[in-house]
Amino acid sequence: MTESRAELGQRGDEDLTDWLVRIPKAELHLHLEGAIPLDAMWELIQKYGGDPSLPSVEALAERFQFRDFPHFLQLWIWKNQFLREYEDFTYMSQAFARCLAQQNIRYAEVFFSPVRFVDEGLEIPRLFESIRAGLSSTPEVEVALIADLVRDYGPDRALGTLRDVNEIKDDGIFGIGLGGGEHNFPPELFPTVYREAREMGFRTTAHAGEAAGPPSVWGAIHELGVERIGHGARSGEDETLLDYLVEHQIPLELCPISNIKTGVIDSIEQHPVRRYFDKGVLLTINTDDPMMFGNSLVDEYRALIEVHGFTKDDVKTLILNAVKASWLSDERKEQLVGEFAAELE
Ligand SMILES: [Zn+2]
């Protein structure tokens, strides 16, 4: 049964939040290093001698308040310096998985960008092993990893990273992705990398249509042959592209609050999520970098309900979309859809 926005409103905001927290959820686009719970990040900073300008976790939260993109990149690099030893990766992954469990996120496909840490002397196999060890401590959350090859390092480096990742893909690394500067490193540079990844058995996604416009999405589809689009928020600037996404049911990993925080879209009211949904695009809703943006999956769905008039049934559809668009085996997917659907009733 479809409930109107007014009916939802009558029961008050707290009821809505409770419901959103309670229901089982899945997420396909979040970056592990952008999703470290603040108290775990705080502990890591203390481990390496602390920072006098950060007297408390609250001050740390304040520092992570998004200002602009250069500041965001600066912060990204700053926090990475507190991930130095393999045990730090286990520690943060453990905290991350616990945080997902608290929100009843049962399944997630999560990006990790090893290349930045390789430059600090760490090795790709041990990085992924350490992360997997941390994730395994919370068996109620199933996490598949996606190796983000980071486009800013160019195609040769991406290929090298891919080959290293391939050696340990049995550690639950389902696929590859491509984050970073969309303007300077377009999809057209990476077809060889994606072809080889497919031959190795990896599933594929690429960030596109976030900073750059529809041509980057077309490039990801035609040059890279991706199965999903990371973000794709700007796809609607080209109606033909939107039609294509609908026709081929290519899932978008939309991250609405991230788009507002990074200034890709001016306000949540102006976000095209409603238009894409009504048109029949296969949408999934995601948080991207919750540590940096201060959002949660509950906040994302709340915004859709309160600002864009999504009903509870719409939210259920979006949650099941995330399972359907996931890279789980058909058998496991069916099982999870059944489990979720029963609990969402
Ligand atoms: Zn992302």
Side-chain angles (χ1 to χ4, degrees):
M1 209 187 104
T2 307
E3 289 177 74
S4 73
R5 200 175 157 188
E7 280 169 316
L8 284 168
Q10 273 167 15
R11 258 181 279 135
D13 288 351
E14 262 173 51
D15 282 358
L16 179 57
T17 304
D18 285 349
W19 179 73
L20 287 169
V21 173
R22 205 171 58 240
I23 55 175
K25 293 174 286 297
E27 163 155 40
L28 304 179
H29 188 120
L30 78 162
H31 298 263
L32 182 59
E33 316 94 290
I36 308 169
L38 280 178
D39 46 355
M41 189 68 235
W42 168 258
E43 289 301 328
L44 286 167
I45 295 170
Q46 302 319 302
K47 177 183 169 183
Y48 293 109
D51 181 333
S53 69
L54 290 172
S56 63
V57 181
E58 290 69 33
L60 180 62
E62 184 71 24
R63 170 151 319 175
F64 278 125
Q65 286 286 326
F66 188 88
R67 279 183 236 159
D68 51 42
F69 212 67
H71 178 248
F72 175 83
L73 291 179
Q74 206 184 327
L75 272 180
W76 189 270
I77 294 161
W78 171 79
K79 61 132 176 73
N80 281 356
Q81 66 172 309
F82 303 107
L83 295 163
R84 291 185 205 172
E85 297 176 336
Y86 293 111
E87 63 174 33
D88 302 338
F89 290 85
T90 302
Y91 176 75
M92 68 129 165
S93 305
Q94 218 165 6
F96 165 79
R98 265 201 306 265
C99 178
L100 293 192
Q102 281 159 5
Q103 304 171 61
N104 205 13
I105 295 173
R106 307 269 187 87
Y107 179 71
E109 289 179 4
V110 177
F111 293 105
F112 174 63
S113 315
V115 67
R116 301 181 195 277
F117 302 103
V118 170
D119 286 348
E120 300 299 323
L122 298 174
E123 291 166 4
I124 287 179
R126 287 194 63 193
L127 280 168
F128 277 103
E129 278 163 23
S130 308
I131 290 168
R132 182 50 69 193
L135 296 173
S136 306
S137 65
T138 308
E140 57 268 42
V141 186
E142 203 173 333
V143 177
L145 292 166
I146 304 173
D148 170 16
L149 304 180
V150 192
R151 61 217 308 158
D152 308 61
Y153 289 79
D156 291 344
R157 188 77 192 270
L159 205 53
T161 304
L162 171 69
R163 288 173 184 163
D164 285 344
V165 170
N166 188 42
E167 313 243 313
I168 36 136
K169 77 162 170 307
D170 293 343
D171 253 342
I173 306 169
F174 282 18
I176 58 147
L178 204 55
E182 286 178 16
H183 287 295
N184 294 334
F185 299 90
E188 286 71 14
L189 294 173
F190 299 91
T192 314
V193 180
Y194 271 68
R195 198 178 316 121
E196 189 159 328
R198 253 190 304 281
E199 282 163 12
M200 289 168 175
F202 285 112
R203 313 295 297 268
T204 57
T205 179
H207 284 54
E210 182 193 14
S216 72
V217 180
W218 283 121
I221 294 169
H222 293 313
E223 299 292 326
L224 307 181
V226 294
E227 297 171 73
R228 292 198 308 241
I229 303 291
H231 288 277
R234 294 184 57 190
S235 303
E237 293 170 24
D238 176 350
E239 209 59 35
T240 324
L241 173 57
L242 223 45
D243 290 338
Y244 188 93
L245 293 173
V246 173
E247 190 189 336
H248 296 269
Q249 287 291 286
I250 299 173
L252 295 190
E253 303 159 7
L254 274 193
C255 309
I257 293 177
S258 163
N259 294 153
I260 311 312
K261 294 280 183 177
T262 58
V264 167
I265 291 160
D266 289 340
S267 66
I268 192 74
E269 286 77 12
Q270 283 168 276
H271 200 284
V273 55
R274 179 86 234 186
R275 181 159 82 88
Y276 295 178
F277 183 76
D278 291 342
K279 203 175 159 88
V281 180
L282 182 49
L283 294 187
T284 68
I285 300 298
N286 309 277
T287 56
D288 208 8
D289 299 298
M291 172 174 66
M292 316 287 284
F293 302 137
N295 57 334
S296 70
L297 205 45
V298 168
D299 296 332
E300 299 282 348
Y301 285 122
R302 268 189 77 102
L304 298 191
I305 291 170
E306 290 174 350
V307 179
H308 289 282
F310 280 68
T311 64
K312 282 186 172 182
D313 280 347
D314 295 336
V315 169
K316 291 174 189 176
T317 301
L318 290 167
I319 290 172
L320 292 177
N321 278 356
V323 180
K324 288 174 190 159
S326 77
W327 294 334
L328 287 164
S329 69
D330 287 345
E331 199 187 1
R332 178 73 188 120
K333 230 188 252 192
E334 209 176 300
Q335 208 176 23
L336 211 53
V337 166
E339 247 174 63
F340 274 36
E343 285 184 53
L344 285 167
E345 270 314 303

